[in-house]
Amino acid sequence: DVFQSHEEDDRKVRRREKNRVAAQRSRKKQTQKADKLHEEYESLEQENTSLKREIGKLTDEMKHLSEVLKDHEKICPLLHCTMNFMTIPRPDALTSCLPR
């Protein structure tokens, strides 16, 4: 009886220790996963900020180029030529439209 009781106590102690180690391992794994997710979040936030800046720059560039095009359309001889749709424009006519 005493021997069996001692054996059961030893088994309980080993089981508890094994469970404690498994719980520690699980908590560590959870912490590592949370840390990794936080790092990924920070990285994506930085990328998002960078992309928003790039969108702003590209939007400004598009506005500028649209204005340049609008101003150019007012003076472009190719757009005012009635024969423009029937013939290929001469190379010298094209170069007169390009900025110098």
Side-chain angles (χ1 to χ4, degrees):
D1 251 358
V2 174
F3 182 72
Q4 262 184 328
S5 176
H6 185 65
E7 233 177 65
E8 285 176 21
D9 288 346
D10 283 349
R11 243 182 294 160
K12 284 181 185 177
V13 169
R14 282 194 303 269
R15 197 174 5 169
R16 283 188 192 137
E17 179 62 19
K18 192 174 176 181
N19 188 286
R20 186 183 66 75
V21 170
Q24 281 179 330
R25 210 174 22 244
S26 177
R27 284 191 293 272
K28 184 177 180 181
K29 194 173 177 181
Q30 248 183 330
T31 302
Q32 288 172 338
K33 186 177 179 181
D35 289 347
K36 185 177 176 186
L37 283 173
H38 184 70
E39 287 175 16
E40 188 177 348
Y41 167 81
E42 291 292 330
S43 174
L44 289 171
E45 280 292 319
Q46 288 177 356
E47 184 180 0
N48 190 32
T49 300
S50 175
L51 289 171
K52 284 180 179 179
R53 258 195 308 270
E54 187 176 351
I55 287 170
K57 288 177 185 177
L58 291 172
T59 300
D60 291 345
E61 183 180 5
M62 184 181 70
K63 287 176 187 174
H64 170 71
L65 292 174
S66 293
E67 287 297 315
V68 169
L69 178 62
K70 194 167 93 176
D71 290 345
H72 178 76
E73 286 173 339
K74 295 175 188 173
I75 61 167
C76 182
L78 293 176
L79 293 174
H80 300 294
C81 178
T82 57
M83 300 298 286
N84 193 27
F85 299 106
M86 294 182 229
T87 62
I88 298 171
R90 297 183 330 268
D92 58 327
L94 277 176
T95 56
S96 68
C97 285
L98 299 176
R100 297 190 189 331

